[in-house]
Amino acid sequence: MDFLSELRSRLRTALTSLTDSPETFVDMLKPSQDGKFGDFQANCAMPLAKLVKQTPRDVAAALIAKLDVADLCETPDIAGPGFINFRLKTERLADETAKLTRDDRLGVATVTSPRTYIVDFSSPNVAKPMHVGHLRSTVIGNALCRVLQFLGHRVLSDNHVGDWGTQFGMIIYGYKHFRDDAAYRGDPVAELARLYRLVNQLADYHDLVANLPKLREKQAASEMAVATARQTSAAKPADKDAARQAKKVEQELVDLKAEITSAEKKVGVVDANPALKLLADAHPKIGELARRETAKLHAGDAENKRLWDEFVPQCMAALESMYKRFGVQFDMALGESWYNPMLPDIVDELKKKNLAVVSEGATCVFVEGNAAPFIVQKADGAFTYATTDLATIRYRVETLHADASLYVVDSRQSEHFQLLFATAKKMGFDQTEFRHVSFGTVLGEDRRPYKTRSGDTIGLESLLDEAIQNARKIVDENSAHLSEADRANVSVLVGMGAIIYVDLHHNRDSDYVFSWEKMLATNGDTATYNQYAYARVCGILRKGEVDARELRAAGHAIQLTSPAERALALQLNRFTNAVADVSIDYRPNLLTQYLFETANCFASFYNDCPVLTAEPASLRASRLLLCDATARVLKQGLELLGIGVAEQM
RNA sequence: GCGCCCGUAGCUCAGCUGGAUAGAGCAACGGAUUUCUAAUCCGUCGGUCGGAGGUUCGAAUCCUCCCGGGCGUACCA
């Protein structure tokens, strides 16, 4: 059972005579940080003492006198300055655990008032292959969908794909001028990706060539500025501002040099390749022409629309294979193009309501406290992703009746979302929770965004393949007892699980350093450790030839005869709290943490408590039930994260 | 310039709606099981929570300032 909620509820009752606002104090009852303080602790006596002008220990004593918890715990203790420590009655814990072992939902309550959630995640650009940057959004979004759904909410997952932007002009341009028909027939998506990269490269080339002289001029100026600043700083060693200024301009120079080097490198690549250079020279205005293709598409040009209609489904199908590997299913994939017809209305409405003004030719919404404008229509008349996002909000609120809309997107876009939500509110969409579920960057060992040695972004497909290959080595070392097919299957689970788990177990706000070694470690807080714990439980049930269904139906009691059994039982009863905690602030890492603790509790139990040889039979049955429930919690918990398990590994 | 985020053990990270002696994992070191999978368990070592003030009975957590780092910042999404 949910002991935490139950105890809080009892505390609420006890508090009513002491304060008018018990709610703030009820939350101060929490699981104990340390086992020696019991199973739960209430910290509310100290702040209450101030209100009622008594000593904290007296308040604690008064609360205990009013608390009706005799059926749940031993008499609570007062400790330290006035902490109230609760220790569950082991008998009651055993009874409740027995109930949990028979419960389909493993004690996880469904919410009393379900909401409609839109979870917007992954959202790749259909023109380009997915890369490591899409990993976190996909994995976190998937986990949140599963958790919210499991809690009983109505969840609609939406893949807000980029299918209407400038990249499509590039593909169309590439297709018209550079396509390799045989390659396109063989693997259309790969050929389109090649065309995108090629056009992008050539357009970049011309931009950079045009820009380099300006950059070099800037470098000369910057060098002067550095020299001046250094002089100033040297003249007044005590002047901190001068030192800071010197440092700043030095950094600017370093950045500028890096920019120039990178530009020269990119230009050099084309110059050094006669075939590329020939193409570049033949298409000097490629950037502008590609943009024109985009504009034509938006204007309804028949040929471009036909190409678009041909390309998009193929790209979507390619994405689908990736999602399959992650176990991701979208309820809808309403991309930018889908909202295209609604964009003029949005701008009209903003103008009508005097929310948008024209500034420097662009139609903008200005939000108090933000210097940057929210541009809904560019000077050239084109709409932006701001406009699309507003149309999306309207659709989600008015048509889908969303209570909450979550955007699982990179933290770098926080300013955009701040402006978006503020604008939506001004438009009157103020009854819906809009939430930017932001996350940090995946870094390489060099603490820079994760790239290949040569500096390219890492494709998601190859990342997953590599994970599975690496996992295969580990499986081969450890699992000679499995068949070839089973080892292959386990390798997929271990490799995918490792990637997903590492991502989710970090606080989503943080950047994290990607490390194959840590991720695929067979010990520690990893997916493998959890999966292995699951497999060990299954091993017991298999070896004992136990039919789990019969076991659950037999009505055995749970006996908690040792600390390890008691700890495991308590941990299993906390599953409901862990799942609910994820949904409060959309933090899957709270669930990975719980699962690791659970697997850990089980491993201790496994060491201390023989199961199959336990005597008498009632104890054996009790331990088997604990095993079965542990397996189900681990499986269910990992499943909520999008991670699979194998019964043998 | 303005805005957002971050700085916790040698390394990677939790903890941040204030609560007891700041926790994991890895690494290092030492133990355990001829036993249901050793992809295990138990223990030891390891921290001025970037710094200084402030609020509080109590601060890693809240406020202010400083230092250091990242990101964003008008027509890409």
Side-chain angles (χ1 to χ4, degrees), chain A residues 465-539:
Chain A
D465 291 342
E466 193 172 347
I468 292 166
Q469 272 170 32
N470 290 341
R472 180 61 200 243
K473 285 180 215 149
I474 296 168
V475 172
D476 284 342
E477 279 169 29
N478 286 284
S479 301
H481 57 285
L482 295 183
S483 71
E484 162 69 26
D486 284 343
R487 286 204 298 261
N489 180 40
V490 170
S491 302
V492 173
L493 293 171
V494 168
M496 290 298 299
I499 287 199
I500 296 169
Y501 190 91
V502 152
D503 202 295
L504 294 177
H505 113 275
H506 289 91
N507 180 325
R508 59 176 169 75
D509 287 321
S510 330
D511 297 345
Y512 72 89
V513 176
F514 189 93
S515 153
W516 285 112
E517 197 194 337
K518 292 204 169 74
M519 184 173 99
L520 280 160
T522 53
N523 51 7
D525 189 357
T526 59
T528 318
Y529 178 87
N530 285 280
Q531 289 166 324
Y532 180 62
Y534 176 80
R536 289 173 101 193
V537 191
C538 292

Side-chain angles (χ1 to χ4, degrees), chain A residues 318-510:
Chain A
L319 290 176
E320 202 47 51
S321 74
M322 181 73 63
Y323 293 131
K324 210 170 169 187
R325 300 180 74 174
F326 278 109
V328 168
Q329 279 190 325
F330 285 103
D331 297 305
M332 46 195 179
L334 303 181
E336 294 163 348
S337 62
W338 201 80
Y339 294 98
N340 187 50
M342 312 173 197
L343 302 184
D345 269 1
I346 293 287
V347 176
D348 283 349
E349 182 182 339
L350 286 168
K351 283 180 178 164
K352 244 180 242 160
K353 292 185 172 168
N354 285 323
L355 296 173
V357 293
V358 176
S359 164
E360 295 178 29
T363 309
C364 315
V365 178
F366 286 91
V367 172
E368 309 72 49
N370 289 75
F374 194 55
I375 298 177
V376 293
Q377 189 167 24
K378 301 194 284 186
D380 66 6
F383 301 109
T384 71
Y385 75 134
T387 334
T388 311
D389 282 353
L390 285 171
T392 306
I393 283 179
R394 167 182 277 173
Y395 179 75
R396 288 179 181 168
V397 173
E398 293 181 351
T399 307
L400 301 176
H401 305 293
D403 298 306
S405 184
L406 309 183
Y407 297 79
V408 187
V409 179
D410 202 319
S411 61
R412 282 175 295 202
Q413 295 197 38
S414 61
E415 197 170 18
H416 166 71
F417 285 110
Q418 206 182 318
L419 294 168
L420 173 67
F421 300 158
T423 304
K425 213 167 202 175
K426 287 183 183 207
M427 290 176 80
F429 301 116
D430 53 2
Q431 299 300 307
T432 306
E433 176 191 354
F434 297 108
R435 183 63 194 274
H436 177 200
V437 179
S438 69
F439 55 83
T441 310
V442 181
L443 306 174
E445 308 267 5
D446 58 358
R447 296 206 142 266
R448 306 291 315 161
Y450 192 37
K451 298 269 172 70
T452 62
R453 263 175 223 286
S454 54
D456 299 322
T457 55
I458 292 169
L460 197 48
E461 191 100 57
S462 59
L463 188 83
L464 302 188
D465 291 342
E466 193 172 347
I468 292 166
Q469 272 170 32
N470 290 341
R472 180 61 200 243
K473 285 180 215 149
I474 296 168
V475 172
D476 284 342
E477 279 169 29
N478 286 284
S479 301
H481 57 285
L482 295 183
S483 71
E484 162 69 26
D486 284 343
R487 286 204 298 261
N489 180 40
V490 170
S491 302
V492 173
L493 293 171
V494 168
M496 290 298 299
I499 287 199
I500 296 169
Y501 190 91
V502 152
D503 202 295
L504 294 177
H505 113 275
H506 289 91
N507 180 325
R508 59 176 169 75
D509 287 321
S510 330

Side-chain angles (χ1 to χ4, degrees), chain A residues 165-174 199 289-291 293-294 297:
Chain A
T166 44
Q167 352 75 31
F168 253 96
M170 293 192 180
I171 292 199
I172 290 171
Y173 187 92
V199 174
L289 293 174
R291 279 192 290 279
E293 296 294 358
T294 311
L297 172 67

Side-chain angles (χ1 to χ4, degrees), chain A residues 131-151:
Chain A
H131 57 83
V132 65
H134 298 107
L135 178 67
R136 298 204 78 180
S137 178
T138 306
V139 163
I140 294 170
N142 186 35
L144 291 178
C145 284
R146 287 166 179 242
V147 166
L148 292 169
Q149 203 147 34
F150 190 61
L151 286 170

